[in-house]
Amino acid sequence: MTDGDVAAAVIPAPALIEAGEGSFTLTPTAVLSVAEPALLPVAERFRADLATDAGVSLPAPEVAPEGTVGSIHLTIGGVDGPARPTRGLRADGADPDGERHEVVVAEDGVRVVGVTAEAVHRGLTTLRQLAAVGAGTLERGRIVDAPELAWRGLSLDVVRWFVPVAEVERVVDVLSLHKLNVLHLHLTDNEAWRLEIDGWPGLTEGDEGAYTQDEFRHLVDYARERFVTIVPEIDLPGHTAAVLAAHPELGVTAPTEGGLPLRVANLDPDRPAVWAFVEEVLGQLAALSPAPFVHLGGDEAFGMPTDQYERFVDRAVGVVRGLGKRVVGWQETCRAEVGPDEVVQHWIDVGALAGGDAAGGGAGDRLSPEVLDLLVAHFGDALGDLDRIAEKGALLLLSPTTTFYLDQPHGDPSLDPAQEADRSRLGLQFYGGRTLEQLLDWDVAAAMGAVPPERLAGVEAALWCETVECAEDLELLLLPRLAGVAELGWNASAPAPWPDHRWRLAVQAPMWDRAGWSWFRAAGVDWPETEPPA
Ligand code: TNX
């Protein structure tokens, strides 16, 4: 099968595609059947999605006895191949090899087999995309697929712009459509605190929004139904100006240095009241969130003496462990006592910051020497962090800015003049632009430095919302780049080449329109109709 065939029009690109002859058309009289009741919710989800994606209404799913195969039949069972096993860490603690599935489109119907209910859902996601592209008609053939990396996520800043619950749901929908499986919610920062904590009303008072604990539970359930795990982050000990505004006795704030937005706002580990606060917050969060991981932040504790920072992180890690959870922390936490149980999220591209890289150019070109000195002084330590992670045997989550930061401005011009105006406003201009093609140009092995392959948890994109003012802004930064991120996680060692990905984006775009998402019409892709690459 060539990439010109409709069966290949799937993002991320499947591991194995075998073409058949002819096609099968989904009609309202098709029977949607499941081999066991556990698959009914998965089938219901598919039915609802398909109505939006392809305008096809299937009847309600039914449990069919062994041997009675409906037009679309779903089973949990063994799947042979592709040879590559999924590696990495699951954010929900499940077996990494639980997403393997097979989709067979034959003359008389469709069969989806997955090793778990989640794997069946991933196969049905392939089917959604194919049905949307073919307007309900599926090319015959067989797809066998599994992701290369187990943790494939998005870190979403809900602080700088308060992302309403309904918009978080839409982000989950976009993640699920691209087979991404983690939504990391950055819930607290200098500007605000976005989760209500019982007994601490001052944290959220006066802000334009915060999630109630019930809303948080709702989001966890909404995401779980779409096989996305929510990992919550409380950013400590830096980035805590919102805490210190309400409770100045807990730490130290200082004016911004050198005209840079490097805010000093740190909780002080040597004040006993800090630990009453941290234990209460993390205790409530651990009770609220079913995920085995809690993200402790740990980034950019500007102005905090190193020994104090390490003391803080060590004790906070102990608090999380004591609550029966495991820790994720931003890169800087690898300088404290993290070990094989902890996940360290690597983000600082020192090379790109100071000198620039071949593809994107560096921030160094756009900063004054004084400012650059300040940054290099703070971020200089970052050069040794991959070695520290390797030495300590911690797990590595890859989010290097140059590839995974979706708050970089779009590097491509837009075909839509209104979006071309948005482009100069959206994303931090500091970074320079990144094109869709540059995004795909990534070497996972190089990004890991000395960390051995078996310690790689996975990848996460990050969307920081300093420049976001509405849902449309957020979606314009997200799409279509998130589709590229999905490609890098699913096929980390061998992502689809740009001409293939570019074609897939173009054929998928009408589906985004049907869902009502805003997306960036990057020049260089032939939206929305295109000829397959030669
Ligand atoms: C650094 S990345 C931050 C965020 C900013 C971001 C802007 C990280 C762990 N911290 O607070 O929003 O840069 O790209």
Side-chain angles (χ1 to χ4, degrees):
M1 179 167 294
T2 72
D3 285 322
D5 289 318
V6 173
V10 177
I11 301 175
L16 177 82
I17 301 174
E18 286 170 7
E21 292 289 318
S23 61
F24 174 79
T25 299
L26 295 170
T27 65
T29 58
V31 179
L32 177 58
S33 61
V34 298
E36 53 188 283
L39 287 174
L40 280 174
V42 173
E44 278 290 3
R45 174 86 268 121
F46 170 67
R47 193 165 80 103
D49 289 335
L50 197 69
T52 312
D53 302 334
V56 177
S57 317
L58 297 176
E62 53 193 71
V63 181
E66 207 60 63
T68 321
V69 174
S71 328
I72 304 173
H73 188 68
L74 316 181
T75 326
I76 295 178
V79 175
D80 288 335
R84 84 177 172 198
T86 302
R87 62 196 174 103
L89 177 75
R90 288 276 307 200
D92 62 356
D95 178 352
D97 221 12
E99 295 178 89
R100 181 177 301 270
H101 59 267
E102 178 181 52
V103 178
V104 180
V105 179
E107 192 179 356
D108 57 345
V110 182
R111 205 178 130 84
V112 179
V113 186
V115 295
T116 62
E118 174 175 354
V120 172
H121 171 81
R122 302 285 175 230
L124 288 171
T125 304
T126 296
L127 216 49
R128 283 176 65 187
Q129 294 189 8
L130 292 177
V133 171
T137 294
L138 306 163
E139 301 296 315
R140 285 176 59 184
R142 174 172 172 257
I143 291 176
V144 184
D145 206 5
E148 182 175 340
L149 298 179
W151 185 311
R152 307 178 306 279
L154 171 72
S155 168
L156 179 64
D157 169 12
V158 299
V159 176
R160 276 59 172 264
W161 181 60
F162 178 59
V163 185
V165 169
E167 186 60 21
V168 180
E169 292 178 0
R170 284 162 69 89
V171 171
V172 170
D173 294 344
V174 176
L175 290 170
S176 185
L177 177 63
H178 295 97
K179 299 177 185 152
L180 292 156
N181 61 7
V182 181
L183 176 61
H184 157 184
L185 289 180
H186 180 78
L187 291 165
T188 72
D189 212 300
N190 288 324
E191 293 78 1
W193 183 286
R194 301 297 189 191
L195 178 68
E196 289 186 357
I197 300 293
D198 294 339
W200 295 79
L203 294 172
T204 49
E205 248 162 32
D207 291 336
E208 64 278 65
Y211 308 122
T212 64
Q213 297 202 0
D214 276 344
E215 285 172 330
F216 182 86
R217 278 188 209 96
H218 162 78
L219 287 172
V220 167
D221 290 344
Y222 185 94
R224 187 180 14 218
E225 285 165 17
R226 289 152 184 83
F227 295 93
V228 173
T229 300
I230 290 190
V231 174
E233 176 188 346
I234 300 292
D235 201 352
L236 304 169
H239 284 262
T240 50
V243 179
L244 294 171
H247 302 282
E249 70 283 3
L250 296 181
V252 179
T253 49
T256 310
E257 277 179 64
L260 274 182
L262 308 183
R263 192 151 172 190
V264 174
N266 301 313
L267 300 186
D268 178 352
D270 301 322
R271 304 185 194 190
V274 164
W275 295 102
F277 170 73
V278 170
E279 282 165 20
E280 181 62 30
V281 167
L282 294 177
Q284 287 190 32
L285 188 67
L288 183 60
S289 168
F293 292 93
V294 167
H295 202 305
L296 278 181
D299 57 313
E300 300 179 324
F302 295 120
M304 196 170 183
T306 307
D307 63 315
Q308 206 183 58
Y309 173 79
E310 290 174 10
R311 216 160 45 245
F312 187 100
V313 173
D314 290 347
R315 185 153 169 190
V317 168
V319 171
V320 173
R321 286 182 185 154
L323 291 163
K325 301 280 185 182
R326 292 173 64 182
V327 168
V328 190
W330 291 108
Q331 166 170 358
E332 293 93 322
T333 58
C334 74
R335 303 167 200 168
E337 284 309 306
V338 296
D341 261 0
E342 276 77 51
V343 180
V344 177
Q345 185 163 11
H346 196 264
W347 64 279
I348 304 167
D349 264 335
V350 179
L353 188 74
D357 69 333
D365 306 344
R366 293 175 294 281
L367 296 173
S368 71
E370 297 92 317
V371 167
L372 199 57
D373 282 352
L374 245 170
L375 285 176
V376 171
H378 184 83
F379 290 111
D381 264 0
L383 278 170
D385 284 340
L386 281 171
D387 287 339
R388 291 184 185 96
I389 295 166
E391 275 159 30
K392 294 181 181 178
L395 286 143
L396 173 66
L397 183 58
L398 282 173
S399 303
T401 48
T402 312
T403 298
F404 288 102
Y405 270 37
L406 302 184
D407 62 333
Q408 295 176 99
H410 281 284
D412 301 281
S414 174
L415 297 175
D416 173 345
Q419 288 188 353
E420 196 48 21
D422 294 334
R423 185 162 82 94
S424 54
R425 180 177 61 80
L426 289 177
L428 295 172
Q429 300 301 320
F430 167 86
Y431 287 115
R434 195 82 181 150
T435 66
L436 294 180
E437 182 172 3
Q438 287 169 339
L439 167 69
L440 273 194
D441 179 19
W442 184 58
D443 180 344
V444 59
M448 292 172 62
V451 178
E454 65 276 13
R455 299 309 289 161
L456 179 62
V459 295
E460 247 186 35
L463 181 51
W464 302 99
C465 291
E466 285 94 337
T467 63
V468 169
E469 290 174 6
C470 59
E472 191 182 18
D473 288 351
L474 188 151
E475 292 174 16
L476 279 180
L477 287 173
L478 211 54
L479 274 174
R481 290 191 282 196
L482 199 70
V485 168
E487 183 61 40
L488 296 180
W490 195 270
N491 297 306
S493 307
W498 168 242
D500 284 2
H501 183 69
R502 172 179 176 273
W503 172 75
R504 287 168 212 262
L505 289 174
V507 293
Q508 291 285 318
M511 197 172 175
W512 312 333
D513 282 334
R514 249 172 265 135
W517 294 327
S518 301
W519 54 275
F520 187 78
R521 287 170 195 270
V525 179
D526 299 323
W527 317 102
E529 302 245 330
T530 185
E531 288 301 307

